Amino acid sequence: MKKIRIFAFVSFVIGAVIISVAFINCKSGAKTNQNDNLKFNGKGFALVELFTSEGCSSCPPADELVAKVQKEVGDKPVYILAYHVDYWNRLGWKDVFSSADYSKRQNEYAHWLNLSQVYTPQIVVNGKTEFVGSQEERLRSTIKSGLQGSGSVQLNLGVTLNANNTASVQYKVEGNTGSASNVISLALVQKQAVVKVERGENGGRTLAHAQIVRNLQTMPLNKNNGSATIALPAGVEARGWEVIGFVQNTNNGAVLAASKSLVKVSADVGQQDKNIQ
């Protein structure tokens, strides 16, 4: 009887060890697969556009997700834009970052992607794929697909900070864009912000935001190089901000190229930003 008990105990311990090792390996494999989704295996890129709002209780997880991905991508060609729409403002809290222009842009995607309505949080990648903004695995796999693309069109940006609280952006497009309906859009991006929401669905919560679009300008792409001036919001410094540009086909919404350049503050205001990506 004693031998039987000892044998049963040993069998239990061995079984527990096997299960624990399997669990650890499973977790390790999941982590590896997750990181694999952000590997840069081609000449492509991923423009991630999030439509969000401080008035939407479902949006904070999506905001947290894009902030997490933004930290992971490093120097990979992944460009994240968070547009705060304005149609949630009527429910008791006005999102200070919201704009009717961003709601209009989301409705343009509804037209391009044949959607019956808009919603938040919504993510659109490269103008072609949309899904609920808090779906992490979907976001990672879609970014991976974008990075594995051909990248037949290239966009280069440079930014000059002016003394009058504006930024001059120079752009150059290389490759055959193939359509007279293409436009170039330039987004001024505030890297991060923290806001205490006092009312609405998120009332009482303190929300952290990343990659906030504060200004968006769109122009016809009449030639492969040009410039534009973007106004910075009043009362803020440009330190740590960036400009993300992208070329888009207005017939179907497909994004053909994207790039970014930091807006740097230096002693010599107006110096050309040399960090062209």
Side-chain angles (χ1 to χ4, degrees), residues 24-243:
I24 292 171
N25 287 338
C26 179
K27 287 185 70 177
S28 177
K31 184 176 181 180
T32 301
N33 291 337
Q34 188 181 74
N35 291 336
D36 284 347
N37 282 339
L38 292 179
K39 283 186 176 179
F40 184 27
N41 298 319
K43 296 182 179 180
F45 67 94
L47 179 73
V48 178
E49 298 179 83
L50 168 67
F51 294 93
T52 185
S53 172
E54 290 179 347
C56 163
S57 61
S58 300
C59 287
D63 295 332
E64 293 169 4
L65 174 58
V66 296
K68 177 182 177 182
V69 171
Q70 176 65 25
K71 291 180 180 179
E72 295 176 7
V73 296
D75 60 354
K76 299 178 183 68
V78 178
Y79 312 103
I80 297 177
L81 299 173
Y83 303 98
H84 288 235
V85 298
D86 71 336
Y87 50 80
W88 279 93
N89 291 352
R90 65 181 183 273
L91 298 181
W93 176 254
K94 183 177 180 180
D95 188 331
V96 68
F97 302 118
S98 65
S99 170
D101 292 339
Y102 308 150
S103 300
K104 179 181 178 182
R105 178 160 182 78
Q106 189 180 24
N107 277 287
E108 288 176 335
Y109 272 125
H111 170 71
W112 285 325
L113 300 173
N114 296 314
L115 304 177
S116 60
Q117 61 184 5
V118 297
Y119 64 91
T120 55
Q122 181 188 33
I123 280 179
V124 181
V125 179
N126 286 353
K128 298 181 290 187
T129 305
E130 69 87 23
F131 47 89
V132 175
S134 55
Q135 294 180 337
E136 182 170 358
E137 291 304 317
R138 184 74 183 277
L139 175 58
R140 291 180 180 277
S141 64
T142 309
I143 289 176
K144 181 178 180 180
S145 296
L147 293 178
Q148 292 175 334
S150 61
S152 57
V153 179
Q154 299 295 322
L155 172 64
N156 295 314
L157 295 179
V159 178
T160 302
L161 183 64
N162 303 321
N164 60 351
N165 213 39
T166 63
S168 296
V169 183
Q170 299 78 41
Y171 63 85
K172 182 178 181 181
V173 181
E174 299 177 353
N176 183 13
T177 58
S179 175
S181 61
N182 292 333
V183 296
I184 183 168
S185 294
L186 302 171
L188 178 68
V189 177
Q190 181 176 344
K191 299 294 292 178
Q192 58 186 2
V194 176
V195 176
K196 184 177 181 180
V197 179
E198 297 178 359
R199 295 178 298 278
E201 290 191 0
N202 289 313
R205 300 183 62 180
T206 298
L207 304 181
H209 305 304
Q211 296 298 111
I212 313 156
V213 178
R214 299 297 304 274
N215 192 330
L216 180 68
Q217 293 184 198
T218 299
M219 304 158 289
L221 189 63
N222 295 325
K223 54 184 180 179
N224 286 347
N225 57 78
S227 62
T229 300
I230 298 180
L232 277 66
V236 300
E237 294 184 358
R239 189 183 306 276
W241 289 44
E242 67 185 9
V243 172

Side-chain angles (χ1 to χ4, degrees), residues 13-28:
V13 171
I14 293 174
V17 170
I18 292 173
I19 293 172
S20 298
V21 171
F23 178 74
I24 292 171
N25 287 338
C26 179
K27 287 185 70 177
S28 177

